[in-house]
Amino acid sequence: LFITLYPELLKTKVQQIVLMGGAIGIGNRSPVAEFNILCDPESAKIVFESDTKVVMVPLEVTHTALATGSVLQQIKDIDSPFAKMSVDLLCFFKDTYKDVFDFDDPPVHDPCAVAYVIAPEIFVTKFWHVEVICGEHTCAGQTVCDIWEDFATGKAKNVHVTTKMDVGAFWNMMLSALKECNKTTGFNEYVDKQ
């Protein structure tokens, strides 16, 4: 909506749009569509075709950010109500990921996009043409990534697609953020008073 209503602000006030969404290959809500893009492919298409830098953090990257037993233990070791709640939230979809996707550990998604904003150097990116399939279509919501770099589509490159992330650096950043939040949150005091 912002891009449609205020295109002049996009050019003068927005350096880049970083989003968690899409997939280079297999989706998680249909055979080829990732949930966030599938919810509103028309809006995603507007963003991807906008005249600004767009960075896509797809499932292939977020599925490497697994909340392993080791990661969960490090969070538990913070030893507070906030830490317990954080672990509970990270594990909320654990059974679903095991049952549906055969993941032993649940991935985290949106924090990967935030990590890109903070530390883009921990990511590998490729600049590709990405097209979003819209309409009443079996592939609606698919992000078609031209991995052949214009060979297949002949269209201009428009999206910086992350293809890898330094997972250790990501979790170090997450753990540091959780420890800082634990120091300042009122949640611990609130739970202790209950």
Side-chain angles (χ1 to χ4, degrees):
L1 186 60
F2 174 81
I3 293 171
T4 305
L5 293 178
Y6 304 104
E8 71 283 357
L9 292 179
L10 182 67
K11 292 179 184 186
T12 60
K13 301 290 183 186
V14 177
Q15 292 179 345
Q16 64 181 351
I17 298 171
V18 179
L19 60 99
M20 183 282 123
I24 298 167
I26 298 170
N28 66 352
R29 293 302 297 155
S30 83
V32 293
E34 178 275 332
F35 176 81
N36 290 342
I37 304 297
L38 183 59
C39 284
D40 192 351
E42 291 77 15
S43 290
K45 186 175 184 73
I46 290 169
V47 170
F48 285 18
E49 293 177 356
S50 69
D51 194 22
T52 194
K53 179 181 178 183
V54 176
V55 179
M56 179 175 111
V57 183
L59 288 176
E60 287 79 2
V61 171
T62 66
H63 280 173
T64 66
L66 302 176
T68 64
S70 172
V71 166
L72 295 174
Q73 187 58 54
Q74 290 177 71
I75 298 169
K76 287 178 188 175
D77 288 347
I78 297 171
D79 194 27
S80 69
F82 172 76
K84 181 188 179 319
M85 178 195 64
S86 298
V87 168
D88 290 346
L89 289 172
L90 287 170
C91 290
F92 183 75
F93 287 111
K94 185 174 184 168
D95 291 340
T96 300
Y97 270 97
K98 180 63 178 164
D99 295 343
V100 177
F101 302 108
D102 200 29
F103 279 42
D104 290 328
D105 302 302
V108 298
H109 298 285
D110 298 324
C112 295
V114 175
Y116 182 89
V117 173
I118 296 168
E121 67 277 4
I122 72 170
F123 292 83
V124 173
T125 62
K126 302 284 186 176
F127 191 37
W128 290 332
H129 178 78
V130 179
E131 192 164 323
V132 180
I133 304 298
C134 297
E136 296 295 321
H137 191 282
T138 304
C139 296
Q142 180 181 16
T143 47
V144 181
C145 299
D146 182 7
I147 61 171
W148 307 116
E149 301 192 16
D150 294 341
F151 176 74
T153 66
K155 295 182 180 176
K157 299 173 184 181
N158 61 336
V159 178
H160 299 265
V161 180
T162 62
T163 58
K164 291 182 184 173
M165 175 178 68
D166 180 335
V167 176
F170 168 78
W171 280 113
N172 286 341
M173 191 180 341
M174 283 288 293
L175 288 164
S176 176
L178 287 168
K179 288 174 183 174
E180 285 303 310
C181 190
N182 185 63
K183 292 177 188 175
T184 59
T185 182
F187 185 77
N188 292 327
E189 184 179 332
Y190 172 79
V191 172
D192 288 341
K193 288 182 179 179
Q194 299 303 310

